Amino acid sequence: MSTGLIIALIVIVAVAVVAAALILLARRPQGGRTLRRRFGPEYDRAVAQHDGDARAAERDLAERVKRHGALRERPLEPAARDEYAARWGAVQERFVDSPQEAVAEADRLVAELAGARGFPDGERYEERLDALSVHHGHHVHGYRRVHQATYASASDAHGGTEELRASMVEARALFEDLLAPVRQDARQDTADTAPAEDSAPGERSHRAHVPWAMTRRHAKGS
């Protein structure tokens, strides 16, 4: 066998090995650093839920990505975005006189908007929450808070009106994310790994139309 043929075979084998390694790397579950960047505070919450076991938390989060990572958010017509923004403003105004009812309406409104964007709707709260965490991990806890506040009994509530106000403010951050136009020029999972402060200018300009968050003096009894 000639030297040239031996070299050619070695090159072919090396290329095949590199290609196989790249395929395995692409199929490997996302690592902790990637998951932490994608999920933000939701990563730390998952670790806490698993009593500090980061590996168990990462398996849970990776499974969420596997189930919901391919979801692509449906765009909203400008008129629909304006309507949702106006409805949120009405909910905030209602909070002044009826905090508990306003929080319940905020819970329904976030779920409705999420459904309009293509997330699981209907009664599937846990599935919807998991899907939202994959694509809006930095703000999804706001939805969890208003949902829990909506269904908590008076004896389970902590902090009274101030706690309800805080849950509304946190839920508003997710609401703004869901209202933002879909970025057609980038993959959704890339867009959602960054905090809201890094949003595209177009998204930021739209969010200016969402009514501002409540301050403590806006709710009776706070």
Side-chain angles (χ1 to χ4, degrees):
M1 184 179 295
S2 67
T3 303
L5 182 57
I6 293 175
I7 294 175
L9 289 174
I10 292 174
V11 171
I12 292 172
V13 171
V15 170
V17 170
V18 171
L22 290 175
I23 291 173
L24 290 175
L25 184 63
R27 292 180 177 178
R28 188 179 65 181
Q30 297 188 52
R33 183 176 299 178
T34 300
L35 290 169
R36 182 186 291 275
R37 185 170 62 250
R38 177 168 199 156
F39 283 91
E42 191 71 5
Y43 177 95
D44 296 326
R45 184 180 184 279
V47 172
Q49 278 190 317
H50 287 278
D51 298 322
D53 188 340
R55 289 183 179 272
E58 288 167 9
R59 286 195 296 270
D60 178 25
L61 296 176
E63 180 59 29
R64 294 191 208 178
V65 175
K66 182 179 178 181
R67 293 200 313 269
H68 303 292
L71 185 150
R72 292 294 174 261
E73 297 185 52
R74 293 195 294 260
L76 289 174
E77 295 293 331
R81 290 202 302 269
D82 291 343
E83 180 181 352
Y84 277 114
R87 289 172 64 186
W88 183 267
V91 169
Q92 291 190 162
E93 291 295 328
R94 187 177 185 183
F95 187 91
V96 175
D97 295 313
S98 304
Q100 187 68 55
E101 293 179 8
V103 167
E105 180 59 27
D107 175 50
R108 290 190 293 270
L109 188 54
V110 171
E112 181 182 334
L113 177 56
R117 297 306 301 267
F119 290 93
D121 54 9
E123 300 299 322
R124 298 177 292 174
Y125 164 72
E126 293 294 343
E127 185 179 359
R128 183 188 310 120
L129 186 70
D130 283 353
L132 284 168
S133 74
V134 171
H135 296 272
H136 298 277
H138 290 267
H139 298 299
V140 69
H141 188 57
Y143 177 41
R144 184 183 287 111
R145 286 187 69 176
V146 294
H147 189 80
Q148 291 174 344
T150 296
Y151 293 98
S153 64
S155 59
D156 293 332
H158 299 285
T161 302
E162 179 59 23
E163 171 61 23
L164 295 176
R165 184 200 67 84
S167 69
M168 283 278 291
V169 171
E170 194 168 354
R172 178 177 178 269
L174 175 62
F175 192 82
E176 290 178 339
D177 268 6
L178 290 170
L179 273 187
V182 176
R183 295 171 58 179
Q184 300 291 353
D185 58 342
R187 289 181 60 86
Q188 186 66 36
D189 55 358
T190 301
D192 288 328
T193 58
E197 288 76 12
D198 297 329
S199 303
E203 295 179 351
R204 199 176 298 142
S205 64
H206 171 72
R207 289 173 184 168
H209 298 291
V210 179
W212 46 276
M214 297 165 294
T215 58
R216 296 181 182 180
R217 67 176 180 274
H218 285 151
K220 291 182 177 179
S222 58

